Amino acid sequence: MAPIGKTTPVSAPHFPKVAGIDSPSPHSPHTAATSAALAEGVTATPSDRTAPDEDVANDAAHTANAVTDGGPHGAPLHDRLAGWVSELTTLHELTERLAATGSLDDALDELLRAGAALIGARRGLVVLEPPTGPTDVTSPAGPTSLTSLTRGYGLSHAELGHIETVPRALTAYGRILEGHRDPAGHPAPEAVAHPDILGDATLDPLRREVAVRLGCAAAYTQPLASETAGTLGAAVWLYDEPAAPVDRRRHLMHLYVRYATEHLARLIEVARARQTVATVAEELLPSRLPRVPGVRLAARHRTGPLGGGDWYDALPLPEGALGLAVGSVSGAGPSALAAMGRLRASLRAYAVMEGEDPVAVLSDLELLLRLTEPARTATALFAYAEPAAGKVVLAGAGHTPPLVVGDRRTEFVETSLSAPLGMLSCWEAPSIEVCPQPGETVLLYTDGLLRRGGDPMDRAFARLHAAAASVPRAAREDPGAIADHVLHAMVPADAAGPAGPDVVLLAARFD
């Protein structure tokens, strides 16, 4: 528990120097007493224009005209004009930083940091609850629901948990969030300042206890709302001592948050579109892998932000055989997903008819692609496996070579060179026969696995070989563990999540 007025090293962020904003450490610029000159002459509530700094600019221009007219108060007006110009510069810099963020997490972090600098707070949190239906976004930490997203600034997970124990009806941000769902149509409340939490005799005992535990003496709550986006959530900034931002700082905060709300609304729409694409891509792939005696299967799939056309398939064939396929369609977005679905469905039909001849399967697939979608190309690899005989016959069209992983060897299968499907008037390449030993795993993958790290292809192949060779001996019994190990080694931690191209891994372990 942190004592009142002090913060732990985890909850005490360091503010960067920002033009027009002094560091809150030496003094308290947020109190009315120390900012009376700044508060003097504050204009009325701004109109809802798109540019957040137009109101401050108009005030500055109006004051400049008054200064040019001369008068006994010329010097104070010059000082006031200089202050407005500084604030306009600050607002511009902060909105530029926010506009540079490309993910929801980064935008929320920047919002909390900038808001804390504007009003002189040290900690804060934002609760995001978009008014439309639930949606999930993918982040490095895993799926995150946009139904309710809480993010802290200068607060540990435990401290955020303490705050969430307070019933929402007792908090200002809770009343703001419930306001836009009011069946009577009442508008959401405005920004709320609580300058002396512990001095409030009407404060709920549970909220007082949490405030004491956090060392929180004052709070300022700002709705994340605009006319076009509606109310997306609320942000709360916490002070270590009794304080409240002056009117001028509240006005700047209103302008900044109005712009931030629009930016967050755009990022939310992008996140929803990406999740929709990812969902469609997953639905076009097998919902489960077949069980065939003598072989165990595992698959891993990562969808890129635009929804690429990487795919995989595994289907049982007559006489205990198994068809394995991976491929990639050129392009991205819904059209690539649709082409991928058509190509995969066609390959399944060709595999049932002539799966024992992988060259014939890919030849038929090439003809179909050339006739139906002449402007599109694709790579594919099809393998006809006979687990009982310990034999795999495969053919590839412009695709990356499979990798055999076992206790005694880790090596690429030398497939013949061939162009991708749709690039030649008539495609044909010889097939290759591989005889995996019991306990060995054949790893099929798309080139997205090699391009995720940004290395040249020769170095990427070397990294893949090293990753497969370093699979722990105990993990080689499980094809899923092999796929996870290789994927973790090839995809950097900062590239996890929606960034980068599609990745497909299909592992077949022969018993």
Side-chain angles (χ1 to χ4, degrees):
M1 180 186 305
I4 296 178
K6 296 186 180 296
T7 56
T8 62
V10 175
S11 62
H14 299 283
F15 296 105
K17 293 293 290 182
V18 180
I21 294 182
D22 297 328
S23 171
S25 300
H27 54 83
S28 299
H30 44 73
T31 58
T34 58
S35 302
L38 182 64
E40 183 181 355
V42 174
T43 58
T45 303
S47 59
D48 287 332
R49 289 187 292 271
T50 304
D53 32 72
E54 288 182 3
D55 296 302
V56 179
N58 290 338
D59 288 345
H62 176 74
T63 307
N65 293 333
V67 171
T68 356
D69 295 339
H73 303 291
L77 288 178
H78 273 294
D79 294 340
R80 190 182 305 170
L81 176 60
W84 276 323
V85 171
S86 176
E87 290 172 356
L88 178 60
T89 303
T90 295
L91 192 61
H92 176 72
E93 290 181 359
L94 293 179
T95 52
E96 286 291 314
R97 290 183 184 181
L98 184 65
T101 58
S103 69
L104 195 57
D105 286 342
D106 291 342
L108 293 177
D109 288 340
E110 178 61 26
L111 166 67
L112 289 170
R113 188 207 64 80
L118 277 173
I119 62 174
R122 293 181 60 83
R123 295 176 290 171
L125 71 150
V126 59
V127 181
L128 198 64
E129 292 188 6
T132 53
T135 299
D136 292 338
V137 295
T138 304
S139 67
T144 303
S145 175
L146 284 187
T147 306
S148 180
L149 173 63
T150 302
R151 195 166 187 87
Y153 176 72
L155 294 170
S156 65
H157 291 293
E159 290 171 326
L160 285 175
H162 291 321
I163 294 175
E164 291 176 345
T165 60
V166 180
R168 293 180 57 166
L170 301 177
T171 64
Y173 75 84
R175 293 190 293 272
I176 289 173
L177 293 174
E178 295 302 325
H180 71 283
R181 297 183 182 86
D182 191 342
H186 298 152
E190 298 296 329
V192 178
H194 205 161
D196 190 1
I197 294 178
L198 300 182
D200 186 356
T202 63
L203 191 67
D204 180 81
L206 178 57
R207 189 177 176 190
R208 181 185 299 274
E209 178 185 347
V210 172
V212 171
R213 179 170 297 183
L214 297 180
C216 171
Y220 181 75
T221 306
Q222 174 74 44
L224 301 179
S226 70
E227 284 189 351
T228 56
T231 302
L232 301 184
V236 185
W237 287 273
L238 307 176
Y239 297 98
D240 298 335
E241 58 186 17
V246 296
D247 289 342
R248 193 66 191 175
R249 292 301 177 98
R250 294 179 66 162
H251 178 60
L252 288 174
M253 177 68 82
H254 171 81
L255 296 175
Y256 177 76
V257 169
R258 189 178 61 188
Y259 175 82
T261 302
E262 299 292 341
H263 184 63
L264 289 173
R266 291 189 290 269
L267 292 178
I268 289 172
E269 289 303 317
V270 170
R272 286 176 170 153
R274 287 177 175 174
Q275 180 60 24
T276 300
V277 169
T279 301
V280 172
E282 292 297 331
E283 291 296 326
L284 290 174
L285 296 176
S287 57
R288 60 180 181 178
L289 297 173
R291 294 184 177 182
V292 176
V295 63
R296 286 184 290 160
L297 303 174
R300 299 294 183 265
H301 180 224
R302 298 268 185 93
T303 303
L306 301 179
D310 287 18
W311 54 275
Y312 68 92
D313 205 351
L315 66 158
L317 297 174
E319 300 179 358
L322 175 68
L324 302 173
V326 293
S328 179
V329 176
S330 62
S335 63
L337 291 176
M340 177 262 284
R342 292 190 293 267
L343 206 65
R344 172 178 170 265
S346 301
L347 185 140
R348 290 176 70 92
Y350 297 145
V352 170
M353 292 186 296
E354 46 193 7
E356 68 278 359
D357 185 358
V359 172
V361 172
L362 293 185
S363 297
D364 293 342
L365 199 64
E366 197 276 338
L367 179 61
L368 175 71
L369 186 68
R370 183 156 44 88
L371 293 177
T372 58
E373 299 186 64
R376 192 181 299 276
T377 61
T379 66
L381 187 146
F382 179 74
Y384 179 81
E386 298 179 273
K391 183 177 68 173
V392 177
V393 180
L394 58 90
H399 205 78
T400 51
L403 188 62
V404 179
V405 182
D407 293 337
R408 297 185 178 180
R409 62 170 175 167
T410 299
E411 60 186 27
F412 290 101
V413 177
E414 295 296 333
T415 57
S416 58
L417 296 176
S418 71
L421 302 175
M423 294 190 68
L424 300 176
S425 58
C426 181
W427 178 91
E428 185 170 342
S431 59
I432 302 296
E433 182 175 309
V434 182
C435 297
Q437 299 299 313
E440 290 186 333
T441 299
V442 177
L443 189 64
L444 312 181
Y445 56 94
T446 58
D447 62 349
L449 182 67
L450 303 173
R451 293 187 286 121
R452 274 267 178 160
D455 293 334
M457 291 303 290
D458 56 346
R459 185 177 300 177
F461 276 114
R463 287 181 57 230
L464 176 58
H465 184 276
S470 65
V471 175
R473 186 175 298 272
R476 296 186 181 186
E477 300 293 324
D478 181 9
I482 295 176
D484 289 335
H485 180 90
V486 171
L487 187 61
H488 179 75
M490 293 298 295
V491 179
D494 56 354
D502 279 12
V503 173
V504 161
L505 282 171
L506 179 61
R509 184 185 187 279
F510 291 82
D511 295 330

